[in-house]
Amino acid sequence: EADLSEANLINADLSGAFLQGAKMQHANLSQADLSGAHAEEADLRGANLSNAELSGATLQGAKLQGANLSNTDLSGAHLEEADLSSINLGNADLSGARLQGAKLQGANLSNTDLSGAHLEEADLTGANLHDADLSGALLQGARLQGARLRQADLSGAHLEEADLRDADLRGPALEQFVNPDPQVADALQHRLVGARQSATEEPVAAVGMTSFGARPVERQRRDQHVVAVVEQPGQAEGPAVEARIV
């Protein structure tokens, strides 16, 4: 296992390198090329990987707590079960990345491209996803409690069994799930159904995510479904919006 802790590797060419289990805490890998690198179980805590190239890299089980990966290309990377808590991934490209079961608590993912990413069972508790692109992302069973999703794009995302308690969905983040475009409603039925304006109103055919100003305040289980209840800020009274995720 290589020990590259605190090493200066700015602009280094490590494409395709075998770095399994390497110790790289606080290493400076800014603008380095690690595309296709094999770094399973590597220790990159506190490392600087800003503007680095990590497309297609394999980082399953890697430790990246507190690392800086802002503006980094991680498209198609494998990060299953990786620890990315408190990491800075602002403006990064994680399109198509595999993050199943990853720990992303408190991570900065603002303006990050997560389109088509695999985030099943990932822990995004308290993560900052402001303006993130989550279109087509797979978030089944993900933990998003207290996550900031304001202005995030969740079009086509799958959120079955996801936990959105106390998540901030203000802005266009919730619109598709509450007021779907009739032309796409049928295509959304397999993702989210049962959205309604009150407990007695008939649910809409399908929903897909934005009621302007909506914010989830409660989550319950009813008839084997996950139900997120959201309120409309700025209104003294009025019906809550209930979105059922199946």
Side-chain angles (χ1 to χ4, degrees), residues 176-201:
Q176 293 171 323
F177 288 127
V178 179
N179 298 306
D181 183 334
Q183 293 183 351
V184 301
D186 290 343
L188 295 169
Q189 285 186 12
H190 67 288
R191 293 195 293 110
L192 186 90
V193 298
R196 61 186 74 204
Q197 295 293 320
S198 70
T200 57
E201 185 182 20

Side-chain angles (χ1 to χ4, degrees), residues 27-169:
N28 190 349
L29 290 148
S30 178
Q31 301 182 63
D33 185 355
L34 289 131
S35 55
H38 297 268
E40 298 93 328
E41 306 292 335
D43 190 345
L44 286 149
R45 288 175 292 177
N48 180 10
L49 287 146
S50 59
N51 296 289
E53 174 63 57
L54 284 152
S55 56
T58 305
L59 292 147
Q60 286 107 326
K63 298 174 183 175
L64 288 145
Q65 301 100 303
N68 180 11
L69 281 89
S70 58
N71 300 296
T72 295
D73 184 356
L74 285 150
S75 55
H78 287 262
L79 290 148
E80 296 95 329
E81 304 294 333
D83 191 340
L84 301 152
S85 51
S86 301
I87 195 172
N88 181 10
L89 281 160
N91 297 297
D93 183 356
L94 283 153
S95 55
R98 306 192 73 88
L99 291 142
Q100 293 96 325
K103 299 178 180 69
L104 287 149
Q105 304 100 312
N108 176 23
L109 293 152
S110 59
N111 296 295
T112 297
D113 185 354
L114 286 155
S115 57
H118 292 260
L119 288 151
E120 298 97 322
E121 304 294 333
D123 190 346
L124 290 143
T125 304
N128 179 9
L129 288 148
H130 184 271
D131 270 325
D133 183 356
L134 286 152
S135 57
L138 303 178
L139 287 147
Q140 292 95 328
R143 300 181 187 92
L144 288 150
Q145 302 100 307
R148 285 169 282 171
L149 288 149
R150 191 183 301 192
Q151 304 296 330
D153 182 359
L154 284 148
S155 56
H158 285 258
L159 286 139
E160 296 89 340
E161 300 296 327
D163 190 342
L164 288 155
R165 284 175 292 180
D166 299 317
D168 185 351
L169 290 155

